[in-house]
């Protein structure tokens, strides 16, 4: 167990090195892959809180990156699942909002349907404040005025 914790910490530290602001797309890709491995290890060890926190870090990066792939969305779904397993309502809501914003930023064509589905699947796991924020985001997306989301 301690060996796996060490390996996971090593992966996270290495990922942080690759994800510095002054790095190339190749290094960012390597850093994201290391984070993915860390999440996988923690998930397989039955440590959902730690897996969720690491996944949350990864999807938060998705807001800053110029390009992300669908693996970022899958990591967001994993993040949601792990926070739900830990009954962490606050972080489940934060993850849902961040994942929705990543969808809007990088997957505009499918963002509305995906965000609706995510809200429907997780409505029982988030508090009413987050539900209201999500409804406002969905309304903004329906109206097609994405500039409001920058506010």
């Amino acid at each position: 167990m301690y060996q796996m914790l060490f390996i996971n910490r090593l992966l996270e530290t290495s990922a942080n090195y690759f994800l510095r602001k002054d790095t190339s797309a190749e290094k960012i890709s390597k850093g994201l892959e290391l984070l993915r491995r860390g999440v996988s290890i923690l998930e397989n060890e039955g440590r959902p809180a730690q897996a969720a926190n690491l996944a949350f870090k990864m999807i938060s990066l998705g807001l800053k990156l110029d390009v992300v792939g669908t693996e970022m969305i899958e990591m967001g779904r994993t993040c949601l699942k792990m926070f739900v397993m830990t009954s962490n309502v606050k972080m489940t809501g934060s993850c849902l909002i961040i994942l929705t914003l990543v969808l809007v930023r990088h997957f505009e064509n499918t963002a509305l349907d995906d965000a609706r589905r995510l809200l429907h699947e997780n409505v029982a796991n988030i508090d009413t404040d987050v539900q209201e924020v999500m409804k406002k985001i969905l309304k903004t997306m329906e109206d097609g005025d994405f500039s409001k989301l920058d506010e």
Side-chain angles (χ1 to χ4, degrees), residues 2-139:
Y2 292 110
Q3 185 178 16
M4 291 306 284
L5 285 174
F6 173 75
I7 291 169
N8 189 61
R9 185 68 184 138
L10 181 63
L11 286 171
E12 184 178 1
T13 302
S14 299
N16 287 336
Y17 168 77
F18 285 118
L19 294 169
R20 294 182 315 203
K21 290 184 181 186
D22 61 337
T23 58
S24 68
E26 181 184 340
K27 287 185 179 180
I28 289 172
S29 180
K30 286 181 182 180
L32 292 175
E33 179 56 32
L34 290 171
L35 286 177
R36 259 192 300 280
R37 287 183 188 177
V39 170
S40 179
I41 288 170
L42 290 168
E43 187 178 5
N44 291 331
E45 280 188 344
R47 302 176 62 135
Q50 291 88 350
N53 285 319
L54 200 54
F56 187 79
K57 179 178 185 175
M58 185 174 164
I59 64 167
S60 296
L61 288 169
L63 289 175
K64 299 174 187 172
L65 298 175
D66 292 331
V67 177
V68 299
T70 56
E71 69 278 354
M72 186 69 73
I73 304 308
E74 289 308 311
M75 187 55 58
R77 291 181 191 282
T78 299
C79 182
L80 281 170
K81 181 177 78 172
M82 294 293 108
F83 278 133
V84 168
M85 285 177 66
T86 62
S87 301
N88 190 332
V89 174
K90 182 180 185 297
M91 288 305 294
T92 300
S94 296
C95 181
L96 180 60
I97 290 170
I98 295 293
L99 181 54
T100 300
L101 294 175
V102 168
L103 283 166
V104 170
R105 177 164 162 69
H106 297 287
F107 302 94
E108 190 175 314
N109 293 337
T110 61
L112 181 58
D113 291 337
D114 290 344
R116 280 186 183 139
R117 190 175 317 109
L118 287 169
L119 177 59
H120 178 73
E121 292 169 358
N122 292 285
V123 73
N125 304 310
I126 56 176
D127 62 26
T128 54
D129 291 340
V130 172
Q131 290 175 24
E132 292 304 313
V133 169
M134 284 299 298
K135 287 176 185 174
K136 288 178 183 176
I137 292 172
L138 289 173
K139 175 71 171 121

